[in-house]
């Protein structure tokens, strides 16, 4: 797996095959796939979105924006993204995103209260910070190496 600057085509490809769990996440957040697509597109146009590519196919998009004293993430993925190999890749890549955001804490949220989701964030290095508007807030503390 590798990451590169996301394109509009990548975003369209990921949403054409959006995983069921991502659709469920958006609905639980009170949004639909169109709203999530629009939010990701805005970040993409501002240069803050990466395509996560596997075998020359974009399987996920991660975007971020600085909000107050943290960087918030937005995410979309196809089912192919969710595997043990992607966890290792994401652990490195989220630190890269954190560096691009000035080593701010990274905030990610999940509206699906599933143990596998919490475990995934924990393995990557996030710490659960409680509930926020119905979502579990996960925080990746700043890198000690800056």
């Amino acid at each position: 797996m590798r990451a590169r600057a996301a394109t509009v085509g990548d975003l369209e490809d990921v949403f054409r095959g959006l995983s069921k769990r991502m659709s469920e996440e958006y609905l639980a957040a009170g949004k639909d796939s169109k709203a999530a697509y629009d939010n990701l597109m805005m970040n993409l146009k501002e240069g803050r979105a990466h395509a996560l590519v596997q075998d020359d196919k974009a399987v996920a998009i991660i975007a971020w924006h600085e909000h107050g004293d943290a960087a918030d993430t937005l995410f979309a993925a196809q089912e192919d993204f969710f595997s043990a190999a992607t966890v290792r890749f994401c652990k490195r890549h989220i630190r890269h995103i954190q560096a691009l955001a000035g080593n701010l804490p990274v905030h990610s949220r999940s509206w699906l209260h599933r143990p596998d989701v919490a475990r995934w964030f924990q393995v990557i290095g996030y710490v659960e910070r409680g509930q926020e508007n119905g979502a579990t807030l996960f925080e990746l503390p700043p890198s000690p190496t800056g």
Side-chain angles (χ1 to χ4, degrees), residues 16-94:
R16 239 189 312 279
L18 191 66
S19 76
K20 184 175 184 281
R21 69 177 90 185
M22 292 304 311
S23 295
E24 291 170 353
E25 180 87 34
Y26 300 148
L27 289 175
K31 300 181 186 222
D32 59 13
S33 295
K34 172 78 170 99
Y37 178 96
D38 290 346
N39 288 339
L40 283 161
M41 178 66 77
M42 184 178 68
N43 284 277
L44 186 152
K45 287 181 176 180
E46 293 173 354
R48 295 185 313 241
H50 288 165
L52 305 183
V53 180
Q54 189 170 313
D55 300 325
D56 292 326
K57 177 185 170 208
V59 294
I61 303 286
I62 185 166
W64 65 95
H65 62 277
E66 293 81 11
H67 182 78
D69 59 354
D72 289 331
T73 62
L74 301 167
F75 188 71
Q78 297 181 340
E79 196 58 41
D80 293 354
F81 170 80
F82 299 101
S83 71
T86 60
V87 172
R88 288 187 295 277
F89 174 80
C90 288
K91 189 172 184 172
R92 288 187 313 273
H93 190 68
I94 196 68

Side-chain angles (χ1 to χ4, degrees), residues 8-19 37 57-58 77-78:
V8 173
D10 294 330
L11 187 59
E12 290 170 354
D13 288 347
V14 168
F15 272 81
R16 239 189 312 279
L18 191 66
S19 76
Y37 178 96
K57 177 185 170 208
Q78 297 181 340

